[in-house]
Amino acid sequence: GMAEADRDEAHHRASRMVEKRELVRSLGDTFTSEEGEVLLTPDGDVRVRVAGLRFASGSAWHNPDYDALLDRLADVIRMFPDAPVTVEGHTDNTGVRQSNLDLSAERATRVAQALAARLETPADSLTVVGVGPDRPVADNSSAAGRVLNRRIEIRLREVAR
């Protein structure tokens, strides 16, 4: 009874992870290395780290040159139709932390609005989080590192079935 059900659930979860790993691997060519990468986290979330949406220091301006990148990002999100979507804004560590938190939330909001329009879904169906400077992916002591830290990440959460 119970042990068999647990075993079946564990097997189902493991096979779902294998399928998701293959799908994430197949999405690897969606973005150039300068634009972004699609990652699978150990807990089954899919993360799209988008470095190619460049923001000038202190700015949340949406550059229309990035529309094609946003189109491809929406295509990736469509591959996971049941996954709740979180749009995270990140900044470098230049300036006041609270300003960076506000700016990262504003950037994430702008990107979420652009993605919602492409996905034909209400903007408030996407969760927006301003992470600010708290999770850098590069060294903030160099200009190149600060550029990499000014990014958007999309998290597609694993949904238990």
Side-chain angles (χ1 to χ4, degrees), residues 7 28 35 41 53-54 61 102 105 112 131 133 145 150-151:
R7 196 170 43 249
E35 291 173 330
T41 68
L53 290 172
R54 299 278 187 227
W61 178 71
D102 295 343
V131 178
R150 293 192 298 266
R151 70 189 187 283

Side-chain angles (χ1 to χ4, degrees), residues 17-136:
M17 238 351 221
V18 168
E19 290 170 14
K20 192 178 271 189
R21 194 173 301 120
E22 288 304 313
L23 180 54
V24 166
R25 188 174 299 128
S26 76
L27 293 170
D29 294 334
T30 305
F31 307 105
T32 67
S33 58
E34 292 80 34
E35 291 173 330
E37 60 185 329
V38 183
L39 310 162
L40 183 61
T41 68
D43 57 1
D45 291 351
V46 174
R47 268 198 181 269
V48 185
R49 184 172 290 155
V50 188
L53 290 172
R54 299 278 187 227
F55 295 99
S57 185
S59 172
W61 178 71
H62 169 71
N63 184 333
D65 291 348
Y66 298 132
D67 283 350
L69 178 56
L70 287 166
D71 291 343
R72 283 182 279 136
L73 190 52
D75 289 342
V76 168
I77 293 169
R78 283 187 196 97
M79 301 294 289
F80 303 91
D82 298 330
V85 179
T86 301
V87 180
E88 298 177 353
H90 297 262
T91 64
D92 60 34
N93 68 350
T94 306
V96 178
R97 183 171 182 278
Q98 187 58 54
S99 297
N100 280 326
L101 289 169
D102 295 343
L103 178 62
S104 65
E106 187 179 342
R107 288 174 178 168
T109 298
R110 293 271 178 94
V111 171
Q113 290 167 342
L115 289 171
R118 285 164 172 79
L119 296 167
E120 298 176 351
T121 187
D124 64 2
S125 69
L126 306 178
T127 302
V128 173
V129 177
V131 178
D134 295 344
R135 290 202 322 247

